[in-house]
Amino acid sequence: MCLRQALRRQRAPHGQTSRLAVASHGDCMADRHAAASPRASSRRQRFGRPLPSVGGLSFAAFPSAEALASADESDLRALGMGYRAKFVINTAKRVQSLGGEAWLASLRGLTRQAATVELRSLSGVGPKVADCVALFSLDQTTAIPVDTHVWAIACRDMDPSLKEAKSLTPKVYDRVVQLFT
């Protein structure tokens, strides 16, 4: 079970709220790669280090790049990663070769554009994932992860001519980012 699931199950007393934050750069990277799968908790239990239990519930951290780099693709596929398994393994190996957590932390000192270029050099990382990692884990507050919902808002409220685009091409993506910055 992941912490998010546990927090959904436990209601906070009236007037109190719970906040979650991405703990590390690697966690955010792994989360963005694995977000489409409902089996993320199983992957954390299998490859992540154990965390303290809360209310009798067990938790595990996101796996480290080292743990994912040494994982078998078949193991990750069996845990619901599907075609993403090879991207996760290749990305973890590449992050390790670049310096691991220290390399990821160094991206905080770059501009948003430079940080996202570095992130996009990783296998399976496109503009939206790079912008998500930049925004949620690298303190790049000008990063705008553009998905179909953000695109729709830009079309509706900022530039109706964007409706003419048939898909979210790199040129359209960049235009939407410009509208929000």
Side-chain angles (χ1 to χ4, degrees), residues 49-128:
R49 65 178 169 73
L51 296 173
S53 63
V54 177
L57 300 172
S58 298
F59 298 99
F62 277 100
S64 66
E66 183 180 1
L68 291 172
S70 63
D72 287 330
E73 185 177 337
S74 61
D75 290 340
L76 292 179
R77 284 181 178 271
L79 290 169
M81 298 271 338
Y83 73 90
R84 293 175 190 87
K86 72 177 178 185
F87 292 128
V88 170
I89 292 169
N90 290 339
T91 297
K93 287 178 180 178
R94 175 68 198 248
V95 167
Q96 277 191 294
S97 75
L98 292 169
E101 186 71 24
W103 175 75
L104 288 168
S106 76
L107 299 180
R108 283 186 169 195
L110 302 178
T111 64
R112 179 197 63 82
Q113 292 86 356
T116 56
V117 165
E118 290 291 319
L119 291 167
R120 289 180 65 184
S121 74
L122 301 171
S123 176
V125 177
K128 182 184 171 199

Side-chain angles (χ1 to χ4, degrees), residues 110-151:
L110 302 178
T111 64
R112 179 197 63 82
Q113 292 86 356
T116 56
V117 165
E118 290 291 319
L119 291 167
R120 289 180 65 184
S121 74
L122 301 171
S123 176
V125 177
K128 182 184 171 199
V129 170
D131 279 337
C132 285
V133 173
L135 177 63
F136 297 118
S137 197
L138 299 178
D139 300 328
Q140 299 285 349
T141 58
T142 61
I144 307 293
V146 180
D147 60 9
T148 57
H149 306 288
V150 172
W151 181 20

Side-chain angles (χ1 to χ4, degrees), residues 120 127 146 151 154 159 161-162 164-179:
R120 289 180 65 184
V146 180
W151 181 20
D159 184 355
S161 73
L162 287 170
E164 296 169 13
K166 295 184 190 318
S167 65
L168 192 54
T169 64
K171 183 176 177 180
V172 173
Y173 189 100
D174 290 342
R175 175 66 181 134
V176 173
V177 169
Q178 288 172 358
L179 290 170

